[in-house]
Amino acid sequence: MERQYAAFISYRHKPLDMAVAKRLHQLIERYRVPRQLRGIRGARLGIAFRDQEELPVSVNLSDDICTALKNSEFLVVVCTPDTRGSMWVQREITQFLQTHDHDHVLAVLTAGEPEDVFPEALTHVGEEIVEPLAADVRADSLGRTLRRLDHESLRLFAAFLGVPYDTLAQREQRRKRQRRLAIAATVFCVVLGY
């Protein structure tokens, strides 16, 4: 049986792209779906495919990539100025769109302007020009970019779950507030005990 993936992460093998893809991979696999939104998917979004983590030693990597694309629910493209000219990213998008709808292709805008970095396969459906759903994580340093990704990934997860971003963001804020209150209560009890 083929492995099923929540998302296939497409990116260039450049330092910024790789760092964002690695963090995104971790965020997808570690995200806990809010209890009220758990349906068929369960408590986790699922497994993400990132070539450096998932590819086995193989005679034909192209077949493995095609299989992973076919068995992924979403394609997430990490977009930087190098992405637009990448033949491999273009091929991955085109291959994915042979078996999936265009609304299952998402972008992470990491550097540059959308019109300069989004691959053509991402912005065109036939003759029609479309704007893909994108999480904007652009910042002036890698650390800030990754911190923005931690928050902006909710945009992608909302698409995975089929809910409005605002709904997921509000639930995440409530969850963080409850966690802070629980920590404060624990600290208070410990201090009170002394």
Side-chain angles (χ1 to χ4, degrees):
M1 184 177 139
E2 300 296 335
R3 192 169 197 178
Q4 296 297 312
Y5 299 99
F8 182 107
I9 303 171
S10 180
Y11 63 101
R12 294 291 308 264
H13 285 226
K14 303 268 183 155
L16 176 61
D17 307 54
M18 290 173 60
V20 169
K22 183 177 181 180
R23 174 68 66 90
L24 182 59
H25 184 240
Q26 294 167 344
L27 291 169
I28 291 170
E29 291 191 353
R30 292 178 183 167
Y31 183 72
R32 294 191 55 78
V33 176
R35 207 177 305 285
Q36 301 84 345
L37 299 176
R38 293 178 189 168
I40 297 168
R41 199 178 287 278
R44 301 278 184 192
L45 291 173
I47 299 169
F49 180 93
R50 186 171 58 93
D51 61 358
Q52 291 185 327
E53 287 288 320
E54 297 292 327
L55 278 180
V57 175
S58 174
V59 176
N60 192 345
L61 290 180
S62 185
D63 286 347
D64 292 333
I65 294 286
C66 289
T67 300
L69 284 163
K70 182 181 170 194
N71 292 323
S72 296
E73 189 176 351
F74 286 87
L75 173 67
V76 181
V77 183
V78 176
C79 297
T80 63
D82 294 320
T83 306
R84 190 177 185 111
S86 171
M87 155 182 87
W88 295 108
V89 172
Q90 289 277 6
R91 284 183 181 175
E92 289 169 353
I93 296 168
T94 303
Q95 181 73 34
F96 184 81
L97 289 173
Q98 288 178 5
T99 55
H100 297 79
D101 292 334
H102 204 277
D103 62 348
H104 281 242
V105 181
L106 311 172
V108 177
L109 182 57
T110 306
E113 295 301 319
E115 61 273 7
D116 299 327
V117 302
F118 287 162
E120 189 173 316
L122 191 64
T123 59
H124 290 74
V125 177
E127 297 295 317
E128 185 182 348
I129 296 175
V130 296
E131 186 174 329
L133 173 68
D136 186 352
V137 300
R138 294 175 290 178
D140 57 2
S141 71
L142 177 58
R144 286 192 177 120
T145 296
L146 296 178
R147 281 192 295 280
R148 283 187 57 111
L149 179 61
D150 289 347
H151 176 71
E152 282 292 305
S153 61
L154 288 178
R155 248 176 240 295
L156 305 174
F157 301 163
F160 287 11
L161 296 168
V163 300
Y165 165 72
D166 194 44
T167 300
L168 199 56
Q170 288 175 10
R171 289 179 188 274
E172 191 63 24
Q173 288 296 341
R174 277 195 304 267
R175 185 173 12 193
K176 285 180 181 178
R177 205 169 28 249
Q178 289 171 343
R179 195 173 334 163
R180 283 193 298 264
L181 285 171
I183 290 170
T186 303
V187 169
F188 179 75
C189 288
V190 168
V191 169
L192 190 62
Y194 282 112

